[in-house]
Amino acid sequence: TGGGGGGGGGGGGGWSNWGPEPAFALFRKYEQRDLKERLASIPVFTIVNKHGSPYLTQKNGIKIMMFIDAADAEAALGEMLQTSDERMDARIQCMSFDRAYRLARAGPRGSGNMHEDGSERMMEYVFSPPTKTMSLIFQHMKPKNLSVNEGATSGLPGFEVPGLTIQRGKERIRPIFMSYADLIDVWADEREYDPSMPEKPPLIEVVDVLALCIVHETKGTDFPIQANLNDYGIVPGSANLDFMNSIKGGNMQGGNKARLHVRM
């Protein structure tokens, strides 16, 4: 089936709605971009104090939680403010997926807190899987066209329609959506321009975005995945882009929907 004829995306296949492109990547072909360039415009959220220092959680060791979904960060912040008057200065801070990925990959580090025996307690940065996505995957009546790849739920789930590509200049790129709702919205938009497309995507695969990033970074030495990853692009959730703009002083306009020209 074909898609992506009409006006669903605006210039460049709607790529501008994925978030601002990093300046160092503007003139480089997408297939030539390294992992840093691919992740730079995707927001991740942490909870920090007024000085910008992250709050720690003591669950199963000392951890700094990094939230893929802004809604999860807001929920965690609300719970924190209700349970401790000492944390009234807590707020949500945005960082790039690239920085969050590097912090997580660096592993445990010293926390500055000491055990009773005098040794330093270790801490690590960890991703918090999106609550809404995990609920969708594990709910009893999950969509019949949803196929969960092995290991996807132990990392960061993303959604991909096999064969679906977007047009960006002269390149075609394979999108992996961080938001299931965005994927469904894009599909519905494109059907308005190409009614021959199925009413719903015939198959939606849930993939581990973290594993794909590691494979891309290490050229496949850490994971036995045999695939060409030069053509994939991670699409941040539109709600997260809206939230990112709001905490950076922009207006929360709801205009960051990932509209794309697609083709099967």
Side-chain angles (χ1 to χ4, degrees), residues 30 45 131 166 207 215 234:
Y30 197 79
F45 308 94
T131 300
I166 65 169
V207 300
V215 171
I234 301 171

Side-chain angles (χ1 to χ4, degrees), residues 96-261:
S96 71
F97 196 163
D98 167 60
R99 180 165 182 255
Y101 172 77
R102 287 185 282 111
L103 288 170
R105 285 281 283 164
R109 69 200 67 196
S111 68
N113 297 326
M114 311 303 290
H115 290 287
E116 292 182 359
D117 62 6
S119 60
E120 188 174 16
R121 300 181 67 186
M122 305 301 286
M123 70 174 187
E124 60 182 327
Y125 286 81
V126 297
F127 285 104
S128 176
T131 300
K132 191 172 183 179
T133 295
M134 300 303 284
S135 298
L136 173 73
I137 293 172
F138 288 109
Q139 69 181 353
H140 178 63
M141 296 295 291
K142 73 177 182 181
K144 293 182 179 180
N145 62 345
L146 199 64
S147 174
V148 182
N149 289 0
E150 183 178 356
T153 57
S154 61
L156 285 180
F159 301 94
E160 178 185 14
V161 176
L164 179 69
T165 62
I166 65 169
Q167 184 74 40
R168 183 181 182 276
K170 297 181 179 180
E171 297 178 280
R172 298 214 64 85
I173 299 169
R174 173 165 52 100
I176 298 176
F177 293 82
M178 297 303 293
S179 166
Y180 175 82
D182 284 348
L183 188 159
I184 297 302
D185 284 348
V186 166
W187 189 272
D189 286 347
E190 291 304 319
R191 284 195 75 244
E192 295 181 6
Y193 298 97
D194 185 358
S196 68
M197 292 175 63
E199 181 178 356
K200 297 179 180 179
L203 176 65
I204 300 174
E205 291 189 352
V206 182
V207 300
D208 183 359
V209 172
L210 275 185
L212 290 175
C213 291
I214 294 172
V215 171
H216 191 279
E217 176 189 15
T218 62
K219 309 303 181 185
T221 57
D222 283 13
F223 282 86
I225 297 178
Q226 301 299 322
N228 178 12
L229 300 182
N230 291 332
D231 63 344
Y232 85 88
I234 301 171
V235 185
S238 56
N240 294 333
L241 293 176
D242 286 336
F243 186 85
M244 177 184 70
N245 288 336
S246 74
I247 65 177
K248 286 187 174 182
N251 295 320
M252 199 165 182
Q253 299 174 335
N256 285 311
K257 183 177 178 182
R259 295 179 178 273
L260 309 170
H261 291 296

